[in-house]
Amino acid sequence: MTGQQSPSLRPGGPADAPAVLRLLDDATAWLVARGRTGQWGTGPASTDARRIAQADAWARGGGLWLATLADRPVGALVVGAANEHVPPAVEPELYVNLLVTDRAHAGAGLGGRLLAHAAELARERGLRLLRVDCYAGGDGALARWYERQGFTPTDPFTVERPGRGPWPGQVLVRRLP
């Protein structure tokens, strides 16, 4: 990242759930500071029982990868099976369940590097399809970012959230050679 060494990637484990929550908290605060509260709301993940359980499940599930600089996690990637709120794939796939990076390294290509790693994991498993879903509300900037990473939008969807309103999402796919 600017003036620093390149981050290393390592598999995550149960002890890394707090690091994932910190990355989510920091990203949420960054979004809130820019008036972009539709994606993850306004509260920290580290105080939300549902998000804590989710981070624990990711950390124990075998699909967590961390990008680290000087042993500090600066990005997290979780791959595995598709989320239940998206249409099923028509062929075997690897699904990106989470991608979050430290905003202090925005613009340095960290998210793209994590997605490249996801593509390599898919290829190693003999898979030719990588899918992800993301928040499609607001100005659609997140979906456009994934398009710049080589993904093509497919299925829009909406998650109904009682008491909080609907959450618009977009599934994107990337075919692997």
Side-chain angles (χ1 to χ4, degrees):
M1 325 282 44
T2 309
Q4 297 180 16
Q5 65 184 8
S6 180
S8 59
L9 297 180
R10 69 166 175 83
D16 294 310
V20 172
L21 289 167
R22 179 189 52 79
L23 287 165
L24 289 168
D25 284 354
D26 291 351
T28 300
W30 183 87
L31 289 165
V32 169
R34 283 148 186 81
R36 301 172 80 92
T37 60
Q39 182 174 341
W40 286 335
T42 58
S46 60
T47 61
D48 180 329
R50 183 186 68 82
R51 295 296 265 171
I52 293 167
Q54 190 177 46
D56 285 338
W58 285 331
R60 295 178 192 287
L64 172 62
W65 288 84
L66 295 172
T68 63
L69 279 172
D71 294 327
R72 179 178 168 78
V74 294
L77 167 74
V78 177
V79 295
N83 295 320
E84 64 185 34
H85 57 260
V86 302
V90 296
E91 66 185 84
E93 69 173 344
L94 187 62
Y95 203 88
V96 174
N97 302 107
L98 174 71
L99 177 67
V100 61
T101 60
D102 185 326
R103 300 312 303 161
H105 302 286
L110 186 53
R113 179 157 182 225
L114 287 165
L115 288 175
H117 185 67
E120 184 57 33
L121 291 171
R123 283 187 205 97
E124 288 172 1
R125 298 172 190 187
L127 302 171
R128 296 190 49 180
L129 181 63
L130 184 63
R131 287 198 314 160
V132 64
D133 70 79
C134 71
Y135 178 65
D139 60 6
L142 185 54
R144 286 193 307 278
W145 181 85
Y146 278 105
E147 288 181 59
R148 290 192 303 275
Q149 304 307 309
F151 286 80
T152 301
T154 57
D155 303 298
F157 64 93
T158 302
V159 175
E160 296 301 331
R161 303 176 308 167
R164 296 186 297 161
W167 189 88
Q170 176 68 57
V171 176
L172 300 102
V173 301
R174 181 173 165 205
R175 295 247 166 238
L176 306 172

